[in-house]
Amino acid sequence: MSFNIAIDGPAGAGKSTIAKRVSKELGFIYVDTGAMYRAIAVYMLENGVDIHDDASVKAACGQIRITLGYEDGEQQVYLNERNVTGLLRTEEVSRTASVTSANPAVRETLLDLQREMAAKENVLMDGRDIGTQVLPNAQLKIYLTASVQTRAKRRYLEEQEKGSGCTYEEIRRDIEERDARDMSRKIAPLKKAEDAILLDSSEMTIDEVVEEIKKHYREVCQ
């Protein structure tokens, strides 16, 4: 039987960074569901799809195939056989994905694939609704969060390294808006699963968060 770990939380909480580390150290397959949604957002942007028109989004989903692979030990995301990993972390793609991820057609496109992966392998998935919707029976669920200020600072530093012109205030407002949108959407809103362990990383290092999750994993396995 496969073992599944679900890590949920708001934008900028460090889910992907933590999930990659934990999955590597435990020997699990890491499934970045957010990256899969972002790949769909890339398609919508590149093809001028009206993301607020359900019919247009549904039609576009019929033209999309998302797959995962590895190159030099790093997970890559392919959109219709094209590696789009380098396009996934822009603010424009992030904003678009926040809207399209709530669309039923988009969710249906990815849900079966994600569950199929989890049924076959020991996987660690991170996202917004893994523990509540995608893998409700996951043996370990983590809700990873941090203060808005901490998350905005982290994202600001990332954007600075990329040479982006985004200001801290712009990023903070964007995170607040995304939190409100993700938590209030009708389909699979962002929320902590009842049986999830809450981890606030505001005052924790990456190493400390990783070790805390590994500790909970060992406890479940005992």
Side-chain angles (χ1 to χ4, degrees):
M1 181 180 175
S2 61
F3 194 105
N4 298 161
I5 300 176
I7 299 181
D8 290 309
K15 298 185 299 297
S16 295
T17 300
I18 298 300
K20 289 175 184 176
R21 278 276 306 273
V22 173
S23 60
K24 185 174 183 179
E25 294 183 20
L26 293 181
F28 276 43
I29 293 175
Y30 169 56
V31 180
D32 183 352
T33 61
M36 298 169 81
Y37 281 105
R38 287 167 183 262
I40 288 182
V42 169
Y43 182 93
M44 302 296 175
L45 287 167
E46 291 185 341
N47 290 274
V49 178
D50 182 355
I51 61 174
H52 300 288
D53 181 70
D54 288 349
S56 296
V57 171
K58 185 174 182 178
C61 285
Q63 306 301 314
I64 294 174
R65 181 170 180 266
I66 306 294
T67 54
L68 302 178
Y70 283 85
E71 294 180 11
D72 299 324
E74 295 293 326
Q75 189 175 90
Q76 307 294 313
V77 181
Y78 299 89
L79 169 62
N80 295 338
E81 312 304 327
R82 168 186 161 222
N83 191 331
V84 294
T85 307
L87 305 176
L88 303 182
R89 298 295 169 181
T90 68
E91 282 300 304
E92 185 179 25
V93 168
S94 295
R95 286 192 293 268
T96 302
S98 182
V99 175
T100 57
S101 63
N103 188 289
V106 172
R107 296 185 56 74
E108 187 176 329
T109 298
L110 295 178
L111 194 57
D112 288 344
L113 174 61
Q114 293 164 356
R115 286 177 173 166
E116 184 179 339
M117 291 178 179
K120 295 178 180 178
E121 306 282 353
N122 291 340
V123 302
L124 189 159
M125 288 193 192
D126 72 309
R128 300 286 195 276
D129 63 344
I130 309 304
T132 56
Q133 299 290 328
V134 181
L135 301 178
N137 296 318
Q139 293 93 328
L140 176 60
K141 300 176 185 177
I142 303 292
Y143 189 86
L144 182 65
T145 190
S147 68
V148 170
Q149 293 77 10
T150 297
R151 290 185 281 138
K153 183 178 179 180
R154 290 172 181 170
R155 185 62 57 83
Y156 174 70
L157 293 175
E158 289 177 1
E159 292 299 315
Q160 288 291 101
E161 289 181 3
K162 298 175 186 175
S164 170
C166 293
T167 68
Y168 168 83
E169 282 303 316
E170 287 174 335
I171 292 174
R172 183 186 60 78
R173 285 196 300 270
D174 183 63
I175 285 177
E176 288 179 338
E177 291 170 2
R178 200 177 309 172
D179 283 353
R181 190 163 57 240
D182 289 346
M183 292 177 181
S184 64
R185 67 191 188 192
K186 293 180 180 179
I187 299 175
L190 168 65
K191 64 179 181 179
K192 175 182 171 293
E194 290 185 3
D195 53 347
I197 296 165
L198 176 65
L199 279 183
D200 188 325
S201 68
S202 298
E203 303 297 328
M204 298 174 73
T205 66
I206 291 174
D207 288 343
E208 288 171 339
V209 177
V210 168
E211 288 306 314
E212 187 71 12
I213 293 175
K214 287 167 61 181
K215 181 192 78 172
H216 289 297
Y217 168 73
R218 290 191 294 268
E219 291 172 350
V220 172
C221 290
Q222 287 179 349

